[in-house]
Amino acid sequence: DTGVSQNPRHKITKRGQNVTFRCDPISEHNRLYWYRQTLGQGPEFLTYFQNEAQLEKSRLLSDRFSAERPKGSFSTLEIQRTEQGDSAMYLCASSLGPTSGSYNEQFFGPGTRLTVL
Amino acid sequence: AQSVSQHNHHVILSEAASLELGCNYSYGGTVNLFWYVQYPGQHLQLLLKYFSGDPLVKGIKGFEAEFIKSKFSFNLRKPSVQWSDTAEYFCAVSVAGGYQKVTFGIGTKLQVIP
């Protein structure tokens, strides 16, 4: 499968624990995005990488959240001291870019469903 | 900042009925507009997009959408739905020329009854 992959697919943790999710984008894609989707809502943008550079972080991304893309390939999203409000589906997407004057489709992974007890 | 509103959160149709899902966005500048679909148990995937040019865009599986700039709308249509169209549909917007962060609407769950 050459699409975007995410691991783990499901994570159950206790409040206060740290969790880390991994995203492997499509290999030639240099842009990588993280979104969060809660029940009954559409995905919400969290952060964006172009190669290894993190170029924007949403206000949704509190100090407990950190994302990295160390070599411009896979990315990790870590949540420290998890809270029940962090329970959500965390989606990763990747795309080609930049391409002047055009849009490059974002391809989404299956997501990691986090449940904080 | 841009935002998207979808008018219908849950739609139930019989097969062969026509579909129109409403979507309005708010942003003062030039935008790219999208409809994404999520079939049960599957990833989000792009259904169609408007970037520029003809405001009537055609996507996969017989779907189309019309961009009406004066109304800030991008409604999704299909003349005759099938049971396999049962899915959740998300309208989305990104700022043209930006790095293409996508802002999604709340989604519309479509249930097609055979």
Side-chain angles (χ1 to χ4, degrees):
Chain A
D1 187 348
T2 56
V4 178
S5 62
Q6 292 186 247
N7 288 289
R9 296 290 304 276
H10 303 273
K11 179 71 177 178
I12 300 174
T13 192
K14 293 182 179 179
R15 188 177 53 187
Q17 297 295 303
N18 299 344
V19 294
T20 300
F21 311 139
R22 176 176 169 130
C23 171
D24 287 89
I26 294 171
S27 59
E28 62 267 28
H29 287 182
N30 58 356
R31 291 183 169 180
L32 187 146
Y33 309 78
W34 284 99
Y35 294 84
R36 181 174 70 185
Q37 186 175 15
T38 53
L39 202 59
Q41 301 293 321
E44 297 170 292
F45 170 79
L46 292 179
T47 190
Y48 151 73
F49 290 84
Q50 182 156 309
N51 299 312
E52 66 276 9
Q54 187 175 18
L55 298 185
E56 183 169 336
K57 292 169 60 173
S58 162
R59 293 175 187 174
L60 293 174
L61 220 61
S62 76
D63 291 344
R64 297 183 296 105
F65 288 71
S66 63
E68 294 181 342
R69 194 181 183 199
K71 296 183 179 179
S73 56
F74 73 91
S75 175
T76 58
L77 177 68
E78 181 183 15
I79 309 174
Q80 296 182 325
R81 304 181 304 281
T82 52
E83 302 173 356
Q84 287 182 325
D86 297 331
S87 295
M89 177 75 86
Y90 290 84
L91 297 169
C92 177
S94 70
S95 75
L96 290 168
T99 304
S100 176
S102 70
Y103 171 77
N104 292 312
E105 179 180 346
Q106 291 184 27
F107 292 83
F108 282 81
T112 294
R113 183 170 295 283
L114 173 65
T115 302
V116 181
L117 302 176
Chain B
Q2 63 270 35
S3 66
V4 178
S5 62
Q6 292 184 240
H7 312 309
N8 318 97
H9 300 316
H10 198 175
V11 173
I12 302 173
L13 294 173
S14 297
E15 273 193 318
S18 64
L19 170 72
E20 180 159 4
L21 301 182
C23 172
N24 287 88
Y25 71 93
S26 65
Y27 184 73
T30 305
V31 295
N32 300 321
L33 293 158
F34 315 94
W35 279 95
Y36 281 83
V37 61
Q38 188 166 26
Y39 297 102
Q42 295 189 25
H43 308 183
L44 266 175
Q45 57 183 285
L46 186 65
L47 193 59
L48 50 79
K49 66 181 184 289
Y50 171 79
F51 179 71
S52 64
D54 189 346
L56 184 63
V57 292
K58 296 190 184 298
I60 59 173
K61 303 187 180 184
F63 286 90
E64 67 178 29
E66 185 176 12
F67 171 47
I68 303 179
K69 190 174 181 180
S70 61
K71 294 184 177 180
F72 296 87
S73 70
F74 190 57
N75 293 353
L76 180 70
R77 299 193 293 251
K78 186 171 184 179
S80 176
V81 295
Q82 301 173 318
W83 176 79
S84 58
D85 294 324
T86 295
E88 190 158 16
Y89 294 81
F90 295 92
C91 183
V93 64
S94 71
V95 174
Y99 57 80
Q100 298 163 358
K101 173 185 85 172
V102 179
T103 299
F104 287 85
I106 197 170
T108 297
K109 290 184 179 175
L110 172 66
Q111 184 179 356
V112 180
I113 301 170

